């Protein structure tokens, strides 16, 4: 589902701007602070209804403006479509798809999927396990939209069980009352673990291949490490029952998918702890590229790939490898750079370029060799 245009009004540094995007590779070029990252964020905001840089929507509203609005136009097999996302501080966000109100864009199958690389997303590799769990659950939703409620159902049931643990500990409920929530928690936990395991298994081989193409050595591997070893409902219930004393002492459930890990290793060692900045950066790129391939194979359309300042810390051979992958893979990609010379000379003659200067977009031009 290629995006044809993205229009921003009072978004970050942009007052009014419209960008027309190539269906293959578009390069956003301009000096630091010109607004290249803001354009990528605006496109992500329009496709998902949320920012990839902040959880506070007020921050995306241009300073001095009272509201922001992003409109994304895209094509699919069923025709042309339009998503509009508007936000007024203090009011509910309003999102529409082809003019019809929608509560959650991520639940819609008729929208462009989008994947983003930002320098601060290295936290996905070197940060806490919760970041990787959240990312894995987003991958599950992208692969199997029908499973989008699996994590939510588990989280809601977990919250109910935790509340009941506090009541039992305080003497306001019987210990036996936990059994009903345990049964529900086991059902949702097994479904969530199954979805996560399937997503990692589909991605792991492609991740290793992408690492090889990008020059990340050391037998890199992607492994799902669930906290529970249960294979069925009764064995999961047994795990909960064996730990109930500790849960009551803590006042919350300490065992289950909310403690899972998606491990990324090289030479058998965790990249989050032992990897260099360069290795972590390559691993993140490889992960996003691998997920893109897997999603395209299963869904028939790859996510739009947004790569911010990805070239600055890669050497020449890895830049060439990355651009080669982007040109070989089907799908749409946007790259930001301050210097077109960071791109291999073999592609500079055939790329679509948007020049960005001071929050304004220049007309897209084709670079001549």
């Amino acid at each position: 589902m290629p995006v044809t245009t993205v229009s921003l009004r009072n978004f970050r540094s942009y007052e009014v701007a419209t960008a027309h995007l190539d269906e293959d590779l578009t390069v956003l070029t301009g000096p630091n602070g010109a607004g290249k990252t803001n354009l990528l964020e605006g496109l992500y905001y329009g496709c998902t209804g949320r920012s990839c840089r902040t959880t506070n929507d007020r921050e995306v509203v241009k300073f001095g403006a009272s509201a922001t609005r992003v409109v994304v136009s895209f094509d699919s097999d069923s025709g042309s479509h339009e998503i509009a996302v508007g936000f007024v501080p203090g009011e509910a966000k309003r999102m529409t798809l082809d003019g019809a109100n929608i509560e959650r864009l991520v639940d819609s199958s008729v929208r462009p999927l989008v994947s983003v690389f930002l320098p601060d997303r290295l936290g996905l590799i070197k940060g806490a396990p919760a970041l990787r769990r959240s990312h894995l659950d987003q991958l599950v939703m992208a692969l199997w939209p029908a499973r989008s409620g699996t994590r939510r159902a588990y989280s809601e049931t977990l919250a109910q069980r935790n509340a009941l643990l506090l009541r039992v500990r305080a003497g306001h409920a019987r210990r036996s009352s936990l059994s009903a929530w345990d049964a529900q928690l086991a059902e949702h936990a097994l479904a969530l673990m199954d979805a996560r395991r399937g997503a990692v298994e589909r991605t792991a081989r492609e991740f290793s291949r992408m690492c090889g193409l990008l020059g990340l050595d050391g037998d890199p591997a992607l492994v799902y490490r669930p906290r529970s070893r249960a294979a069925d409902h009764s064995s999961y219930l047994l795990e909960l029952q064996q730990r109930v004393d500790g849960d009551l002492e803590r006042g919350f459930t300490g065992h289950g998918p909310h403690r899972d890990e998606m491990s990324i290793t090289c030479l058998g060692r965790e990249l989050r702890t032992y990897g260099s900045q360069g290795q972590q950066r390559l691993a993140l790129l490889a992960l996003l590229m691998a997920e893109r391939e897997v999603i395209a194979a299963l869904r028939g359309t790859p996510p739009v790939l947004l790569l911010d300042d990805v070239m600055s810390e890669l050497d020449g051979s890895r830049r060439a490898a990355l651009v080669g992958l982007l040109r070989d893979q089907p799908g749409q990609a946007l790259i930001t750079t301050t210097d077109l010379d960071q791109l291999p000379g073999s592609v500079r003659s055939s790329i679509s370029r948007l020049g960005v200067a001071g929050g304004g977009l220049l007309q897209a031009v084709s670079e001549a060799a």
Side-chain angles (χ1 to χ4, degrees):
M1 297 184 188
V3 173
T4 53
T5 62
V6 53
S7 298
L8 311 176
R9 180 177 292 275
N10 293 326
F11 188 93
R12 293 287 190 181
S13 57
Y14 293 95
E15 184 175 355
V16 178
T18 297
H20 300 275
L21 306 180
D22 191 275
E23 65 178 13
D24 182 16
L25 176 61
T26 300
V27 175
L28 310 177
T29 183
N32 290 325
K36 302 184 297 299
T37 305
N38 292 344
L39 179 63
L40 295 190
E41 181 187 17
L43 178 53
Y44 188 94
Y45 193 81
C47 291
T48 65
R50 55 189 176 86
S51 168
C52 55
R53 299 165 70 191
T54 180
T55 57
N56 185 356
D57 284 294
R58 292 175 182 269
E59 294 178 15
V60 307
V61 181
K62 181 178 173 62
F63 184 75
S66 59
T68 189
R69 178 177 168 84
V70 177
V71 178
V72 172
S73 301
F74 62 99
D75 295 328
S76 74
D77 292 340
S78 60
S80 298
H81 303 276
E82 182 181 277
I83 296 172
V85 181
F87 174 70
V88 179
E91 298 183 12
K93 190 183 305 178
R94 185 169 186 266
M95 297 178 286
T96 62
L97 175 59
D98 295 333
N101 290 330
I102 186 170
E103 288 189 9
R104 286 168 46 93
L105 280 173
V106 293
D107 292 338
S108 172
S109 60
V110 186
R111 71 171 181 94
L113 298 175
V114 60
S115 180
V116 60
F117 174 96
L118 298 170
D120 57 8
R121 280 207 84 192
L122 282 179
L124 181 57
I125 303 297
K126 62 183 182 181
L131 296 174
R132 288 181 289 281
R133 285 194 297 269
S134 178
H135 181 82
L136 180 54
D137 291 335
Q138 291 178 32
L139 176 60
V140 167
M141 288 191 291
L143 290 171
W144 303 290
R147 297 189 181 188
S148 62
T150 304
R151 171 60 187 266
R152 188 163 59 250
Y154 174 79
S155 297
E156 290 173 353
T157 306
L158 179 66
Q160 293 288 348
R161 185 180 193 266
N162 286 342
L164 184 55
L165 284 169
L166 291 174
R167 293 182 61 207
V168 172
R169 190 172 71 165
H172 301 313
R174 295 180 179 179
R175 181 168 172 155
S176 59
S177 60
L178 287 167
S179 60
W181 288 114
D182 286 356
Q184 291 189 43
L185 193 66
E187 177 184 350
H188 297 313
L190 290 167
L192 182 57
M193 289 190 295
D194 180 66
R196 288 174 171 175
R197 184 178 294 106
V200 172
E201 288 176 352
R202 283 179 175 269
T203 308
R205 179 177 296 182
E206 195 62 31
F207 172 73
S208 296
R209 187 176 79 89
M210 288 294 171
C211 285
L213 292 173
L214 291 172
L216 179 58
D217 301 322
D219 296 323
L222 184 69
V223 182
Y224 175 50
R225 301 194 189 282
R227 177 57 64 96
S228 170
R229 296 180 180 272
D232 53 38
H233 194 268
S234 60
S235 56
Y236 194 90
L237 283 176
L238 180 60
E239 289 181 345
L240 288 177
Q241 292 163 7
Q242 290 173 338
R243 293 165 173 81
V244 69
D245 289 338
D247 289 347
L248 286 169
E249 183 178 346
R250 286 186 299 266
F252 62 86
T253 307
H255 180 75
H258 58 289
R259 304 292 297 276
D260 284 353
E261 170 67 293
M262 183 175 71
S263 177
I264 302 172
T265 65
C266 272
L267 295 173
R269 306 173 74 184
E270 295 283 349
L271 267 181
R272 61 174 295 199
T273 304
Y274 298 103
S276 68
Q277 182 93 347
Q279 288 175 318
Q280 292 168 346
R281 192 178 183 90
L282 287 173
L284 176 57
L285 275 173
L287 179 62
L288 298 180
M289 299 290 283
E291 291 172 348
R292 191 183 195 219
E293 286 278 274
V294 172
I295 292 169
L298 192 64
R299 297 283 302 274
T301 181
V304 179
L305 190 58
L306 311 179
L307 301 172
D308 185 42
D309 194 29
V310 72
M311 297 293 183
S312 62
E313 294 188 26
L314 299 179
D315 58 35
S317 63
R318 288 184 171 91
R319 290 173 185 170
L322 175 60
V323 173
L325 282 171
L326 293 175
R327 300 303 294 270
D328 292 342
Q329 281 186 331
Q332 190 174 32
L334 284 79
I335 297 178
T336 72
T337 181
T338 58
D339 185 1
L340 279 175
D341 288 339
Q342 292 180 344
L343 296 173
S346 59
V347 302
R348 288 202 297 269
S349 62
S350 59
I351 58 173
S352 175
R353 179 172 68 89
L354 283 173
V356 184
L361 292 177
L362 305 182
Q363 179 176 336
V365 297
S366 178
E367 285 293 303

